[in-house]
PDB file of all heavy atoms in Angstrom:
ATOM      1  N   THR A 125       2.709   3.040 -15.844  1.00 96.00           N
ATOM      2  CA  THR A 125       1.437   3.112 -15.071  1.00 96.00           C
ATOM      3  C   THR A 125       1.087   4.503 -14.614  1.00 96.00           C
ATOM      4  O   THR A 125      -0.076   4.879 -14.596  1.00 96.00           O
ATOM      5  CB  THR A 125       1.490   2.079 -13.914  1.00 96.00           C
ATOM      6  OG1 THR A 125       2.644   2.361 -13.086  1.00 96.00           O
ATOM      7  CG2 THR A 125       1.493   0.642 -14.335  1.00 96.00           C
ATOM      8  N   ASN A 126       2.096   5.244 -14.216  1.00 96.00           N
ATOM      9  CA  ASN A 126       1.855   6.617 -13.775  1.00 96.00           C
ATOM     10  C   ASN A 126       1.499   7.523 -14.950  1.00 96.00           C
ATOM     11  O   ASN A 126       0.544   8.335 -14.849  1.00 96.00           O
ATOM     12  CB  ASN A 126       3.108   7.174 -13.049  1.00 96.00           C
ATOM     13  CG  ASN A 126       3.065   6.800 -11.592  1.00 96.00           C
ATOM     14  OD1 ASN A 126       2.247   7.241 -10.837  1.00 96.00           O
ATOM     15  ND2 ASN A 126       4.093   6.008 -11.203  1.00 96.00           N
ATOM     16  N   LEU A 127       2.186   7.391 -16.089  1.00 97.00           N
ATOM     17  CA  LEU A 127       1.823   8.209 -17.213  1.00 97.00           C
ATOM     18  C   LEU A 127       0.507   7.908 -17.768  1.00 97.00           C
ATOM     19  O   LEU A 127      -0.270   8.807 -18.151  1.00 97.00           O
ATOM     20  CB  LEU A 127       2.962   8.046 -18.325  1.00 97.00           C
ATOM     21  CG  LEU A 127       4.383   8.570 -17.974  1.00 97.00           C
ATOM     22  CD1 LEU A 127       5.337   8.322 -19.128  1.00 97.00           C
ATOM     23  CD2 LEU A 127       4.328  10.052 -17.605  1.00 97.00           C
ATOM     24  N   LEU A 128       0.158   6.638 -17.852  1.00 97.00           N
ATOM     25  CA  LEU A 128      -1.173   6.278 -18.344  1.00 97.00           C
ATOM     26  C   LEU A 128      -2.261   6.674 -17.389  1.00 97.00           C
ATOM     27  O   LEU A 128      -3.342   7.203 -17.843  1.00 97.00           O
ATOM     28  CB  LEU A 128      -1.196   4.706 -18.559  1.00 97.00           C
ATOM     29  CG  LEU A 128      -0.407   4.194 -19.677  1.00 97.00           C
ATOM     30  CD1 LEU A 128      -0.430   2.622 -19.688  1.00 97.00           C
ATOM     31  CD2 LEU A 128      -0.991   4.665 -21.078  1.00 97.00           C
ATOM     32  N   ARG A 129      -2.082   6.565 -16.107  1.00 96.00           N
ATOM     33  CA  ARG A 129      -3.068   7.091 -15.184  1.00 96.00           C
ATOM     34  C   ARG A 129      -3.273   8.597 -15.315  1.00 96.00           C
ATOM     35  O   ARG A 129      -4.426   9.073 -15.279  1.00 96.00           O
ATOM     36  CB  ARG A 129      -2.747   6.700 -13.758  1.00 96.00           C
ATOM     37  CG  ARG A 129      -2.916   5.223 -13.401  1.00 96.00           C
ATOM     38  CD  ARG A 129      -2.687   4.932 -11.967  1.00 96.00           C
ATOM     39  NE  ARG A 129      -1.259   5.054 -11.528  1.00 96.00           N
ATOM     40  CZ  ARG A 129      -0.839   4.851 -10.283  1.00 96.00           C
ATOM     41  NH1 ARG A 129      -1.710   4.533  -9.331  1.00 96.00           N
ATOM     42  NH2 ARG A 129       0.433   4.963 -10.031  1.00 96.00           N
ATOM     43  N   GLY A 130      -2.123   9.275 -15.437  1.00 96.00           N
ATOM     44  CA  GLY A 130      -2.204  10.736 -15.626  1.00 96.00           C
ATOM     45  C   GLY A 130      -2.954  11.068 -16.916  1.00 96.00           C
ATOM     46  O   GLY A 130      -3.771  11.990 -16.874  1.00 96.00           O
ATOM     47  N   GLY A 131      -2.680  10.373 -17.984  1.00 96.00           N
ATOM     48  CA  GLY A 131      -3.335  10.663 -19.251  1.00 96.00           C
ATOM     49  C   GLY A 131      -4.829  10.469 -19.120  1.00 96.00           C
ATOM     50  O   GLY A 131      -5.621  11.173 -19.665  1.00 96.00           O
ATOM     51  N   LEU A 132      -5.275   9.331 -18.477  1.00 96.00           N
ATOM     52  CA  LEU A 132      -6.697   9.069 -18.286  1.00 96.00           C
ATOM     53  C   LEU A 132      -7.428  10.130 -17.497  1.00 96.00           C
ATOM     54  O   LEU A 132      -8.479  10.594 -17.897  1.00 96.00           O
ATOM     55  CB  LEU A 132      -6.867   7.688 -17.611  1.00 96.00           C
ATOM     56  CG  LEU A 132      -6.621   6.426 -18.480  1.00 96.00           C
ATOM     57  CD1 LEU A 132      -6.570   5.196 -17.621  1.00 96.00           C
ATOM     58  CD2 LEU A 132      -7.751   6.233 -19.484  1.00 96.00           C
ATOM     59  N   VAL A 133      -6.781  10.588 -16.413  1.00 95.00           N
ATOM     60  CA  VAL A 133      -7.385  11.593 -15.582  1.00 95.00           C
ATOM     61  C   VAL A 133      -7.435  12.954 -16.295  1.00 95.00           C
ATOM     62  O   VAL A 133      -8.469  13.657 -16.256  1.00 95.00           O
ATOM     63  CB  VAL A 133      -6.671  11.739 -14.245  1.00 95.00           C
ATOM     64  CG1 VAL A 133      -7.264  12.852 -13.408  1.00 95.00           C
ATOM     65  CG2 VAL A 133      -6.712  10.418 -13.473  1.00 95.00           C
ATOM     66  N   ILE A 134      -6.426  13.341 -17.055  1.00 95.00           N
ATOM     67  CA  ILE A 134      -6.401  14.549 -17.763  1.00 95.00           C
ATOM     68  C   ILE A 134      -7.463  14.557 -18.875  1.00 95.00           C
ATOM     69  O   ILE A 134      -8.072  15.611 -19.173  1.00 95.00           O
ATOM     70  CB  ILE A 134      -4.941  14.832 -18.352  1.00 95.00           C
ATOM     71  CG1 ILE A 134      -3.982  15.132 -17.159  1.00 95.00           C
ATOM     72  CG2 ILE A 134      -4.989  15.948 -19.322  1.00 95.00           C
ATOM     73  CD1 ILE A 134      -2.556  15.204 -17.597  1.00 95.00           C
ATOM     74  N   ALA A 135      -7.679  13.372 -19.517  1.00 94.00           N
ATOM     75  CA  ALA A 135      -8.687  13.301 -20.549  1.00 94.00           C
ATOM     76  C   ALA A 135     -10.071  13.224 -20.001  1.00 94.00           C
ATOM     77  O   ALA A 135     -11.065  13.396 -20.830  1.00 94.00           O
ATOM     78  CB  ALA A 135      -8.377  12.039 -21.350  1.00 94.00           C
ATOM     79  N   LEU A 136     -10.253  13.013 -18.727  1.00 92.00           N
ATOM     80  CA  LEU A 136     -11.633  12.911 -18.165  1.00 92.00           C
ATOM     81  C   LEU A 136     -12.593  14.067 -18.493  1.00 92.00           C
ATOM     82  O   LEU A 136     -13.720  13.836 -18.884  1.00 92.00           O
ATOM     83  CB  LEU A 136     -11.532  12.627 -16.677  1.00 92.00           C
ATOM     84  CG  LEU A 136     -12.796  12.168 -15.937  1.00 92.00           C
ATOM     85  CD1 LEU A 136     -13.348  10.922 -16.668  1.00 92.00           C
ATOM     86  CD2 LEU A 136     -12.441  11.860 -14.509  1.00 92.00           C
ATOM     87  N   PRO A 137     -12.164  15.301 -18.310  1.00 90.00           N
ATOM     88  CA  PRO A 137     -13.087  16.433 -18.629  1.00 90.00           C
ATOM     89  C   PRO A 137     -13.545  16.418 -20.050  1.00 90.00           C
ATOM     90  O   PRO A 137     -14.743  16.652 -20.340  1.00 90.00           O
ATOM     91  CB  PRO A 137     -12.251  17.696 -18.325  1.00 90.00           C
ATOM     92  CG  PRO A 137     -11.220  17.266 -17.351  1.00 90.00           C
ATOM     93  CD  PRO A 137     -10.870  15.853 -17.764  1.00 90.00           C
ATOM     94  N   ALA A 138     -12.665  16.079 -20.977  1.00 89.00           N
ATOM     95  CA  ALA A 138     -13.098  16.020 -22.394  1.00 89.00           C
ATOM     96  C   ALA A 138     -14.092  14.934 -22.624  1.00 89.00           C
ATOM     97  O   ALA A 138     -15.089  15.059 -23.416  1.00 89.00           O
ATOM     98  CB  ALA A 138     -11.840  15.855 -23.300  1.00 89.00           C
TER      99      ALA A 138
END
Side-chain angles (χ1 to χ4, degrees):
T125 52
N126 275 295
L127 294 180
L128 288 172
R129 286 186 293 179
L132 285 169
V133 177
I134 290 172
L136 191 53

